[in-house]
Each structure stands twice: as structure tokens, then as C-alpha cells.
Amino acid sequence: MEILALLADGMLLALQPLNLTMIVIGVSVGLLIGAMPGLGSVNGVAILLPVTFLVPPGSAIIFLAAIYYGAMYGGAISSVTLGIPGASTAVATTFDGRPLARQGRASLALVTAALASFVGGTIANMLFTLFAPALASVALSFGPPEVFALMLLAFATFVGLGGDDIPKTIFSICFGLVLGSVGFDQISGAPRLILFEMNGFLQGIGFLVLAIGVYGIGEMLWTIEQSRGEVSKTTPKMTLKGMASDAKEATKKGWKGTFVGSFLGFFVGVLPAAGATPGSLMSYGVAKMISRKPETFGQGNPDGVAAPEAANNSASTGSMLPMLTLGIPGSPTTAILLGGMVIWGLVPGPRLFVDETEFVWGLIGSFYVSNAAAVLINLAFIPLFIWMLRMPFTVLAPMIFVLSIVGGYAATRDMFDIWLMVIFGLGAFFLRKFDYPLAPAVLAIVLGPIAEPTLRQSLLLSSGDPSIFFTRPIAGPITVIALILIFMPAFKMLRRKRQPA
Amino acid sequence: MRNGEIVTAGVLALFSLYLMWKSTELPVGYIAGQGPGGGAWPFWLSAIMLLCCGMIAFNWWRGTSPPSQSSEPVLDAYGWKMLIMVGGGIVGFVALVNIISMYGAIAVFLLYYVKYLGRHGWGLSLSLALITPLVFFFFFEGAMRITMPTGMPFTDPVFNVLYEIIY
């Protein structure tokens, strides 16, 4: 009952005029960003984070969470109409969304995506409300070894669950952690890693500089190079009557995928580093596996649209659970949200539920409001978004570059950081060409300043004995799971080698 | 791509070595009563980075990573042209900020991109190049009270007029 009362308070807070305005603007902007090829929630949140510094932290995070929500809805729009996913989270939506559009049923695909996203978001919100306070109360007993073990787990999931090249993933994590240690040693206060003796590094490298560089500049260069301006478009005709009939058909043919995506997406989203992309792909696979007509997947089955769309929305809420309760982000977007919270003077983690009750429940309440706002805005403005998608990429791209540079300067007020951002952007473009995953670096630059002091404090507590991470009742199992995940690729390789023998 | 991957790994290995060397400016070992030294964290992380570069080179030698199996160039003619035109445009944009102000640089960059790279008409190009910096000016300086670089003194007369409007 106490949870319901807190949730009601939170929803009332989310419905306050400023917060409601933030939700409506955030969802609309998110929908548009999610629908744009090459841009996803992570880009939107990174680019617009500096804009939020004028409103109170509670409203700012509600705005960013609304962008996150909107972008998850929006990703399906370009997947269906353009045939290219608006973001990696909507890749699986193209598998059946695009064939439906080719059959002249783009409206059905878009309505199915919107409804599945709504159901996915609602189920995830309920699970979130149920689990968050319990997890936070357990996490209150955490000391430095437990916090460090969690950080290790966050990095380990990138290694163990990520399908990318393992040495490159580990390199990316370590690179982000080293970048996070530039500036001053937090404990002794001595200058550290002042690269090439440039004084600009004395203030450290902000995560925003790396995030905007990677996602605002690097990824746009990548999209321009990859797309080469060859984008085939399908413009669906949408009427109110048609949408109502599509909604009926979507409910009938897409309910199974929606429920698979809603539950699976949430639990995959909760895993640190897994996030919405693997969640949506896994849900598509499971929906296909349990379908009576698996052969129709890939040819325009509404279940194939519903499963990934419900999952990416559900996972986006799920990934906020470890961010708020444990202080470890479940996805690159939540890593940026976490960075924003640190900038606003809030410390994500179990204490947040005790010290900032209003903030936490206001945010949780906003999830429900954002979800409802997103489905309404999505359905109402789909024709407008489709019209805006016709904006030439040669107009869209420079606007995004300008927004990245101006937004970056507004946040840091230092031209040194802007140059660094450009260098990171160009570097990210080349690293991506050689399959270096960059999300781990962004996650690491956020977590580094939390991981390093907890490691040092733990080792000081144990007089340098690393067994402290194995002998404590909570830290021990977490560290063991983290190590299993880190060595999982090696186990897999060994097993593969043994099989032919 | 094959050559590019090993060159990239080599450059990153050198950078890792530089970071290791730079970390040793602070103690990298365990100090009794104080815990690990200030340089320990970045030193050992850079050492792992170096090790990863070695593994990337080993995978390259075995030909197991996709780029090591690819005979395509890292960037074809279009890719290089794009990188020089777009990447160079962004570098030029940032370089112009301290000369003709942030807003002036936005106008020049948008005009360059939309007219020259996008090959749009003068009407659209000029409208975007003039309206966007003005919108940004009133948003950042007027609404958010965030001052952007105003460039060299010759831009002062323009800013005096604009500041008179918002203050």
C-alpha cells in the first residue's frame, strides 16, 4: 500500500504543469529523434542534456526519460517507412515492418508498433514499481567492496553478453576508464594524466564530451558514409478509420509477440549493458520460436513487429532499474542519464530512494505519464513525423552537427572540450570502421569515477588483500558472476575447440 | 581493411604505452596505510589496453576478425571525399568560433553544408544560415543566459545591436 501511495504522489508530481510540459516536449522530440535515421535515444539524450540545466533536476530527468521513451516509439517509424532502423533498438522491427510496408500495410505496422510499445511500457512500469524499492533496500547495506563488485559486473556483462570482438570490447572499457581518470587523483589531489602537458586536461574529460563526440559527430559521419544518400521511402496513407481497423488487427495478430517482448525485454533491460537492442532481438527470436507459423516471420507478420517494439520499450524502463537502485546503468542511454544526475548533484544508488524520495517517485510516476503521452502523441503525429522524415539528410545532418557543438559548449563553456569532442568524433568514426564497440567507453567514463575510489577504499580496508571481494556475503557472489561473465568467451572458445576432437 | 586494422592496433598500442608511462608520474604500487597509489588505476588499465592490442594483432594474424578478412579499402573515394568535406567542415566550423563568433560560425557552416555539399537552392541555404543562428542566440543568450564566444572585436557592432534587443 505504501508503494501505491508513493506512486500516486509521484504521478501527481509528474502531472505538475512544468513536468507535464517537459513530458510532452520530451516525448515529441524523442519520437522525432528516434525516427531519424542514425539517431537514437542515446544521441537525443546526449545532445539535449546540456539544455536541461535550466530546469530543476527532477524536471530535467523527467524530460530526458521522456525523450528516451519517445525515441523507443519513434525508432519504428523509419524502420517501417524508410526500411532503415532509426536506432539499433529498432533493427528487429525492420524484419517484418518493412515487408508489411512493401505490401502497402505500413499503417498496420506503425499502429502495431505503437500499441505494442504502449503495452510493453505499461507492463515494464508495473514491474519497475514492484521491484525497485525492494532492490534499493537490499542495496542500502552495500559498502565499497560491494559497489566495486557491481561496477565489475557492469563491465563484465559487456564482455560476456556482448557479441562484439572481446579484446576490442575490453579495450573500449579500459579506454573509457582511463579517460575518466584524467585530471586530478580523487584521493591525493595530485594532477594526473595531463596528456601532452596540455592544461585543458586539468579539468578532466567530461562524459558529455565523449558522448556527444561519439554519438553526435562520429555516428553521423558513419551514417553519411554508409547511407550514401540512397534511402528508399514508403509513404503510408493513414486515416482515422483505417487506424482503428489496424488497431483491431494488431491486437488480434500481435498479442503474443507483445507479451513475449514486454516480459523478456524488461528482464534483459535490467541486466547491465544488455539494454534494448539485445532485448528486442531476443524477443523477436522467441516470438518466432513459439509462433504457430514461424515461416511467416520476415514476410510481414504483425507479431514480428510487436515483439521487438514491446521489448525495446520494456527494456528501456528495465534499464533504469539498476541505474536508480544500484547506480549502474543498464544501457548507454541510462549511462548518460546517470552522468546527468551526477552533474545535478544527485547520487544514483540505494540512498537515492531514502534521501530523494520525491525525485525518485516523481520520475517513476513520469514513466506512466510519458508512456500514455507517447502512445497518444505517436498515433496523432505519425503523419507529421512521416512528413518531416522527408527532410533531406543534407539539411538534417548539419543541424545535428550544429546542435552537438553548441550543446557541448553550453554545457562545458570551454573551447578545449569542443576540440576534444571533434577529435573523439573523428576517432570514433575510424574505430567503428574497425568494429570497436564505443558504448562501453561511454559507460566506463561515467562509472570510472565511482569504480576507482571504491576499489582503493576496499583494498585499504583489507590492507591490499583482494580476497575482500570474494569473502563478503554480497560482494562475493557478484564478483564470481562477474568473473564467470568475463571468462565466458574463453570457455565458449575452449568448448568449440574440444567439440571437433 | 586488413592493413587498416593492424595499423590502428599499433597506434592504440603506442597510445597505451604512452598512458602507462604518463601514469608512472604518480605511484603505481601499493602504499602501506594509503592503499594503491594515484597512478595505479590508469597504469594497470593502460597495461590491459596494451594486452588487448596484442590480442587484436594476434586475431588479425589468424584472420579471425571481420576487418582482417576484408580486402576492401578502409575508405573508398566517396568515403575520403565525405570525410574531408564533412569532417573538414566541422573542424573549420570550430576553428571559426573564436574568429567570427559561435553564431557567425554556425551561419558559415550551414551555408557551406546546405548550399555547397547539399546543393540546395540559395533561398533555403540563406534562410537556414540566417535564421538558425538567430534562434540559437535568443534561446541561449536570451532565455538561458548562456554566453557563447563572440569572436574577435570586429563582431562587436553586430552583438551590440543583438544584446540591446534582449537586455
Side-chain angles (χ1 to χ4, degrees):
Chain A
M1 281 310 281
E2 197 197 338
I3 288 177
L4 288 179
L6 287 165
L7 181 63
D9 286 346
M11 285 177 88
L12 282 176
L13 201 71
L15 288 168
Q16 280 180 358
L18 174 66
N19 292 340
L20 195 59
T21 312
M22 285 286 155
I23 287 172
V24 172
I25 297 173
V27 165
S28 310
V29 170
L31 272 168
L32 192 60
I33 287 173
M36 285 176 186
L39 288 181
S41 60
V42 65
N43 311 79
V45 171
I47 295 167
L48 290 170
L49 179 59
V51 180
T52 63
F53 294 141
L54 258 201
V55 292
S59 306
I61 188 107
I62 284 174
F63 175 66
L64 294 179
I67 293 176
Y68 195 8
Y69 252 99
M72 288 299 155
Y73 274 81
I77 297 175
S78 57
S79 289
V80 173
T81 58
L82 305 179
I84 48 171
S88 60
T89 51
V91 168
T93 313
T94 51
F95 300 163
D96 280 273
R98 188 64 183 152
L100 274 173
R102 285 219 179 99
Q103 294 159 19
R105 311 219 59 197
S107 169
L108 172 66
L110 289 170
V111 171
T112 306
L115 293 180
S117 296
F118 176 71
V119 176
T122 307
I123 291 176
N125 284 337
M126 288 174 181
L127 294 171
F128 188 100
T129 312
L130 218 64
F131 287 125
L135 195 59
S137 63
V138 172
L140 266 175
S141 56
F142 282 20
E146 285 74 23
V147 175
F148 180 75
L150 274 176
M151 299 294 126
L152 195 66
L153 182 65
F155 299 127
T157 42
F158 259 115
V159 179
L161 298 178
D164 301 294
D165 193 326
I166 303 301
K168 288 173 182 168
T169 306
I170 298 174
F171 181 91
S172 183
I173 292 170
C174 294
F175 185 58
L177 289 171
V178 173
L179 289 184
S181 70
V182 169
F184 286 93
D185 173 20
Q186 287 183 51
I187 293 180
S188 69
R192 181 169 67 176
L193 285 182
I194 309 305
L195 305 175
F196 312 107
E197 309 307 329
M198 293 168 96
N199 288 337
F201 286 112
L202 275 169
Q203 61 192 2
I205 299 172
F207 91 96
L208 202 66
V209 173
L210 183 68
I212 296 185
V214 169
Y215 294 111
I217 297 174
E219 218 161 286
M220 282 308 292
L221 287 174
W222 168 265
T223 307
I224 294 168
E225 203 242 345
Q226 293 292 307
S227 69
R228 295 173 184 235
E230 289 166 16
V231 178
S232 67
K233 298 178 185 181
T234 305
T235 311
K237 285 177 190 145
M238 300 191 77
T239 58
L240 206 62
K241 205 177 159 190
M243 278 166 78
S245 124
D246 286 336
K248 217 185 252 179
E249 193 177 342
T251 315
K252 204 174 154 191
K253 292 184 178 168
W255 66 271
K256 212 189 265 181
T258 304
F259 281 97
V260 167
S262 302
F263 286 98
L264 191 62
F266 181 81
F267 289 106
V268 175
V270 169
L271 296 172
T277 306
S280 61
L281 287 165
M282 278 168 72
S283 300
Y284 182 86
V286 173
K288 186 179 175 180
M289 205 168 68
I290 61 165
S291 171
R292 281 188 197 160
K293 294 177 184 168
E295 69 281 358
T296 57
F297 275 69
Q299 292 170 8
N301 188 328
D303 248 348
V305 176
E309 278 305 305
N312 65 30
N313 253 54
S314 187
S316 63
T317 306
S319 64
M320 299 234 196
L321 187 70
M323 179 194 82
L324 285 176
T325 54
L326 306 172
I328 53 170
S331 68
T333 313
T334 46
I336 293 169
L337 287 175
L338 187 126
M341 286 170 71
V342 174
I343 293 173
W344 298 318
L346 297 161
V347 183
R351 294 279 335 156
L352 199 67
F353 276 75
V354 181
D355 300 336
E356 304 283 349
T357 317
E358 198 176 285
F359 169 84
V360 169
W361 286 99
L363 177 64
I364 296 173
S366 83
F367 293 166
Y368 288 85
V369 181
S370 293
N371 196 32
V375 73
L376 293 176
I377 294 172
N378 190 358
L379 291 173
F381 289 102
I382 282 175
L384 177 74
F385 294 130
I386 288 164
W387 175 79
M388 289 183 88
L389 277 176
R390 292 184 195 141
M391 187 196 287
F393 205 63
T394 41
V395 172
L396 190 65
M399 295 302 273
I400 290 163
F401 288 133
V402 166
L403 203 60
S404 298
I405 302 284
V406 177
Y409 185 85
T412 63
R413 318 270 176 105
D414 189 351
M415 282 309 290
F416 181 82
D417 282 342
I418 302 304
W419 280 113
L420 214 52
M421 218 162 72
V422 174
I423 292 168
F424 283 142
L426 294 171
F429 169 74
F430 277 106
L431 288 180
R432 201 167 163 189
K433 291 248 30 143
F434 296 110
D435 291 344
Y436 284 80
L438 297 163
V442 176
L443 177 84
I445 201 170
V446 175
L447 295 185
I450 306 169
E452 188 197 354
T454 49
L455 172 72
R456 287 168 77 176
Q457 284 161 3
S458 306
L459 290 176
L460 193 60
L461 275 173
S462 66
S463 305
D465 183 4
S467 68
I468 189 169
F469 298 111
F470 297 94
T471 49
R472 288 168 68 110
I474 297 177
I478 300 175
T479 310
V480 170
I481 294 169
L483 289 178
I484 290 172
L485 281 172
I486 289 172
F487 290 108
M488 193 189 271
F491 294 145
K492 276 185 191 165
M493 208 170 75
L494 276 175
R495 228 172 66 179
R496 266 202 305 268
K497 272 191 178 173
R498 271 189 191 173
Q499 266 169 355
Chain B
M1 287 293 273
R2 188 168 158 76
N3 289 342
E5 184 172 43
I6 194 67
V7 170
T8 309
V11 171
L12 294 175
L14 282 176
F15 187 56
S16 307
L17 276 169
Y18 170 72
L19 289 171
M20 282 172 78
W21 170 73
K22 199 74 188 150
S23 304
T24 55
E25 287 174 354
L26 294 177
V28 295
Y30 189 85
I31 307 164
Q34 287 180 36
W41 177 256
F43 178 84
W44 292 108
L45 287 169
S46 309
I48 299 172
M49 281 164 61
L50 186 64
L51 199 71
C52 289
C53 290
M55 286 165 74
I56 293 165
F58 180 62
N59 285 343
W60 171 84
W61 176 71
R62 290 195 309 162
T64 52
S65 67
S68 68
Q69 296 163 353
S70 167
S71 55
E72 283 176 24
V74 178
L75 287 171
D76 56 11
Y78 175 89
W80 280 114
K81 194 178 161 201
M82 182 284 301
L83 190 69
I84 293 165
M85 295 294 201
V86 180
I90 297 167
V91 171
F93 170 19
V94 180
L96 280 175
V97 169
N98 282 332
I99 302 169
I100 56 170
S101 81
M102 179 66 89
Y103 305 103
I106 293 173
V108 171
F109 176 72
L110 284 178
L111 193 64
Y112 160 77
Y113 204 116
V114 179
K115 178 72 195 119
Y116 180 67
L117 295 183
R119 298 183 191 281
H120 292 282
W122 278 107
L124 176 72
S125 309
L126 278 174
S127 324
L128 277 174
L130 293 174
I131 294 168
T132 312
L134 277 176
V135 171
F136 276 120
F137 177 83
F138 288 112
F139 179 71
F140 283 105
E141 314 262 342
M144 295 177 77
R145 303 284 174 208
I146 292 174
T147 314
M148 295 280 165
T150 52
M152 292 168 84
F154 68 85
T155 63
D156 287 353
V158 180
F159 279 98
N160 289 342
V161 175
L162 289 170
Y163 283 132
E164 254 179 50
I165 299 171
I166 56 171
Y167 293 116

